[in-house]
Each structure stands twice: as structure tokens, then as C-alpha cells.
Amino acid sequence: MALWGGRFASGPNESVTKLSRSVHFDWRLAPYDIRVNIAHVAGLQRAGVLTALQASEITAGLQELAREIASGEFFYNDSDEDVHSAIERGLVAKLGELGGAFRAGRSRNDLIVTDFKLYLIDHLLEVAHETIDLATAIDLVAQKYIDVVAPGFTHLQHAQPILFSHELTKHSHALLRDVDRMKDWLSRNSVSPLGSGALAGSGLVPNPEIIAADLAFQGVTRNSIDAVSDRDFVAEALFIFAMLGVHLSRIGEEFTLWNTQEFGWVTLDDAFSTGSSIMPQKKNPDIAELARGKAGRFIGNLTSLMVALKGLPFAYNRDLQEDKEPTFDSIEELLILLPALRGMIETATFHGSKISEGVLSGHALATEIADFLVREQAPFAQAHEISGRAVALAESKGIEVHELSDAELLLIDSRLNGSLRGALSAGAAIESRGSINGTSTKSVIAQLGQLEAKIRGYSAWIASERKRFSGMMGA
């Protein structure tokens, strides 16, 4: 059903119809379109455009249509251009000419952006919930393996000893930053564009702030041209999803490495692995690898929208139809990927002894020698040089730096006396780093407590926002 055409002598060419048609993907917005239209009808009644009886009949028709959409009884057909025309067709079929009355005082321009905001709010909260569940799964593993020491890496080279739990929880911090961005997104974008019309506002519905409150928005956009043109909220959401995807890809990279025979740190459960079509022995970490691979898709979705938005004139332009498919894709892929990664981590078996096996290789305690000298009042530049000489001597002997004898250490520098020996162990190195952000046992336990508190706070926020928007979700 077309929502325009009175001034045209003929219908569009078939190729134009195919190019313009969006109902096959924007049908996802149908529940939100119904809810927005119900709120708009109430506004038309308050303004005296519709009688109470007319508004009641249209609202009842929309509610019945919502139930039919949810059950699959009503669906779009080949004549529908978009979700809005499909819903109007369904309403007209129920109410006759009255079914077209609800379009007064609004445009598809302000309707679609309102629908899309509500869809994003709903699904962004769902992504936030899944992200929190993944962070929780990581933290539970960290708590379980709090006593396991591991080699820390920079440049994929052994660096300094750390707690394996410290290694794991770095991912939780990154994931919770993503959730914090989602919270910030909602705070900034909880404003309603409805009432902006095509671009100039509505002459029939003078109080859009009432409709905004009915839809659970916290305010109304103050410039109608900006309101129908704005897709910042979509670009921001796609950036959050891309950043989350990057964080998931780094988890995937680590688990792919840890699962190799060379590392042997983790064994993935059969349920979260796949096999080879030719090599019967293979057990592949496909979930981790797909987490890496999909990051490119999420970044691409963001890039495609940014390019579409670049240089657009105001107000609405049809280019903006390109905002939806990348967004739907990112959300739907994340809602598949996040639970799969969580399951992979929850069911994985970690091999503590293997993780700790190489903790002192690569002269990992060289920094402890430099720190010891600094405590003995040596300038760090000098301490660094002396420690480097100790490493060179150890390498010449084919041993690790901590394996040098007391006599050999004294030959390097007279300050490297027997007191140093107590610092030359993984445990001593780890526990010496007791700052709030360090890898000591005390610090990591405190860190886990802070992460747990953050997760409780974000979970409460998600529950609160879901309750606030419950009037429209799944309408």
C-alpha cells in the first residue's frame, strides 16, 4: 500500500519500486510502529483532530493488529513499500476509511526515527545484559583460579609474572566500559522526535512532550529539522557495537592461542568446538575464531553508515534508509555471539600447572633486580643498565637471570647482595605489586569485588530501564 501518489500521473517503475522497498528489513520495527501510532492517536484526540470514539476505534484496531503481528497472522505482502504502509493497510482493512486517519499530524520522517530509537533502546539493553553475563562468566573463572600465576606478555613476549586472574579480568573491565557507553547512549538519546513532521513540526499535534512521556522518553528534540535528519544515535550505537566487537575479538584471539598445543592453557568443551571435514583428529576453536572475524563486520557496519551520512543536506533524504540494515545486522550477530562466547568460557577447562609452567622464562624477573637497586637508592637508569648486564650474563650461560649465583650477581654490581634473592621469585614479584591496579593477590581480590559491584549496578540499571520502557517493548 503506497502512502503517496496523488500528484503522480503513474506509479513508479518496477526497478524504482524494488530499490525503494524496505519492508523486508524494517518489518522488525512493526511492534514499535504500533506503539508510536497509539501514542500519536492519543495526541490527535487531545488536539481535537479525532473524536474520542474515533481514537478508541483506531487504538483498538492497532492493538488487534499488534497481536496478529506477534502471532504471525498479519504479515507484509508484495504491495507494501515499508513497515508503515503495511500497518496502515492492515488498519484500513479493519476500519475502512477511518484506518487512514491516524496519519494526520505526522510524517514517515518523524515516525521512522521514533520507531528506530525505541527499537535501539530495547535491543541495546538486551546487548548490555548479554555483555554483563559474559563479564560475570570471566570473573567467575578468575575467582576460581586466583592462586594460578602466569607469564604476563607484551609484544607476545614474556614480560613479568602476574596472576592469571589479573590476565582474565582485563577483559571484564573492557566489557563493562562498553556497557557504560550503552548507559551513556541512553541518557543522551532518550528524546522523542515525534511531532517534527516532515521537517517543520506539526500543526495538528501541539504538545509532543505528552506523547514523548507516554513513550517513556525523557524529553523532546527541540529542532524539528535536526530531529528527522539526526542519525548520530545510530552511529553512536554502531560504534559501541564495533568497540564491543573489537573487545570480543581480543578474547577470541587469546583463547585461540591458549587452546593451541604450544600453549596448552585451556581445553575447550566439545559443545563449543568444531571438527574438520578431512582430519578426524581436529578439534577447532571456531567460536573464538568467529569472535575475531565478526569484529570486521561490526566495524564495516559502522563505516557504511558514516559514509552514507557524510555530506548529506538537511532535512530528510532517502539515503537515511541505509541506517537500518547495518544496525539490525550488528545487533543480531552480537546476540548470537555473546552467549556463545560465554558458554565457551563457562565450560572451558583451564590447566593451572601448564599456565604457570613458563612463568619465569624469558628473564621475567629482570625488573625485580632493577627495582631492588632502586630501593637501594640507585637511579633507575643505572639500575636498568645493571639489570640488563645481568640478563646478558645469564644468556651467555644459557640460564635465566634469576638462576645466576650470588657470586655472579655480586660481580655485576656490589649492591646485588644476598638480600636480592628474596625478591627473585614469581610470588615475590607478584605480591610486591600491591597498588590498587596491580597484580598482587590482595589487589586482584579487591578488583574482583569492584567488578562485582559494577555488575550489580549495571544490572539494576538495565532492570530499571526495561521497566520504564515496558509499556512499549513488544507492544
Side-chain angles (χ1 to χ4, degrees), residues 39-85:
H40 176 66
V41 166
L44 290 174
Q45 181 187 342
R46 283 191 297 271
V49 176
L50 294 175
T51 66
L53 179 59
Q54 288 173 326
S56 176
E57 289 182 10
I58 293 172
T59 299
L62 287 168
Q63 290 170 336
E64 184 179 352
L65 203 55
R67 290 189 291 271
E68 292 172 358
I69 290 169
S71 69
E73 184 180 348
F74 180 81
F75 200 62
Y76 65 84
N77 65 27
D78 291 341
S79 71
D80 297 320
E81 180 182 8
D82 55 28
V83 62
H84 320 297
S85 59

Side-chain angles (χ1 to χ4, degrees), residues 154-176:
T154 65
H155 307 277
L156 274 181
Q157 302 294 312
H158 282 216
Q160 292 175 269
I162 58 171
L163 287 183
F164 183 56
S165 296
H166 198 53
E167 185 79 55
L168 288 167
T169 53
K170 68 180 187 282
H171 294 302
S172 298
H173 287 282
L175 293 172
L176 294 186

